[in-house]
Amino acid sequence: MISFIAGLLEKLLAWLSILLGAALTINMVVAVFFRYVINHAIYWADELSLYLFCWLTFLGACLALKRYEMAAVTLLLDRLSAKARRLLELLIHVCILLFALVITYYSTIWVMSPSVEQYSPTIPIKLSMLYSILPISMVCMIVFSLDHIIRLLNDGKPGEGENQK
């Protein structure tokens, strides 16, 4: 069941990342055109680019975790036996899970706090909506970490049966 949810979530995040990447590109091209060709800068374009980039970064981190493509130094891991490697990978995913749980808890408290209920300086959106990517991405990481842990405990490998590079 968790594997099915993780698969659907991966597809959703991939499409959302594509849309956000396209929106970021269009926003930046239009902002540069207006600033240097028309000589009239769009005052909210920089802030929108910043928020789109942040959302894209957090969603990309979730996808990297799901696809087992996180940046890692595998010098030690590559030298271990299959059993020791699996145990170390299990430990890594448990640590990721615990980290995501803690950050989810505290980021949810932060996003719901009154200090974040103000509006963005140039875009008429509440900051809590913009900052909600932190708990959203951590929940996605929890799902993906649980999926990897279950696969490792079932004598499989994380990402087994998926297209990997």
Side-chain angles (χ1 to χ4, degrees):
M1 181 66 175
I2 192 86
S3 185
F4 176 74
I5 293 170
L8 286 178
L9 191 55
E10 178 186 14
K11 288 177 183 162
L12 175 70
L13 293 180
W15 279 106
L16 189 55
S17 295
I18 290 168
L19 291 174
L20 289 174
L24 178 61
T25 303
I26 291 167
N27 180 59
M28 291 178 77
V29 168
V30 169
V32 168
F33 177 78
F34 270 74
R35 178 170 290 171
Y36 294 108
V37 175
I38 299 179
N39 288 328
H40 182 69
I42 303 172
Y43 67 94
W44 46 264
D46 290 341
E47 191 172 352
L48 180 60
S49 292
L50 176 71
Y51 292 131
L52 289 172
F53 186 71
C54 287
W55 272 67
L56 199 53
T57 300
F58 278 95
L59 295 180
C62 294
L63 286 171
L65 177 62
K66 168 63 175 138
R67 296 174 179 175
Y68 213 71
E69 296 175 346
M70 300 97 50
V73 178
T74 61
L75 181 68
L76 173 66
L77 199 61
D78 292 340
R79 296 187 184 331
L80 296 175
S81 66
K83 185 177 180 179
R85 180 184 177 109
R86 204 169 102 223
L87 286 174
L88 186 57
E89 286 177 352
L90 185 61
L91 176 66
I92 289 168
H93 285 290
V94 167
C95 289
I96 292 170
L97 176 64
L98 293 174
F99 173 80
L101 285 167
V102 169
I103 299 299
T104 299
Y105 175 75
Y106 286 109
S107 65
T108 302
I109 291 171
W110 173 63
V111 166
M112 294 182 352
S113 69
S115 65
V116 187
E117 282 304 313
Q118 52 191 311
Y119 283 86
S120 170
T122 60
I123 304 171
I125 298 174
K126 284 189 176 185
L127 290 176
S128 59
M129 298 260 317
L130 297 171
Y131 297 160
S132 66
I133 187 56
L134 186 55
I136 290 170
S137 65
M138 291 300 121
V139 168
C140 294
M141 286 188 175
I142 289 168
V143 171
F144 295 149
S145 292
L146 286 172
D147 182 41
H148 288 314
I149 290 169
I150 290 169
R151 287 174 190 251
L152 282 167
L153 291 174
N154 290 332
D155 292 332
K157 294 181 182 177
E160 190 175 280
E162 300 171 11
N163 293 334
Q164 291 190 21
K165 294 181 180 178

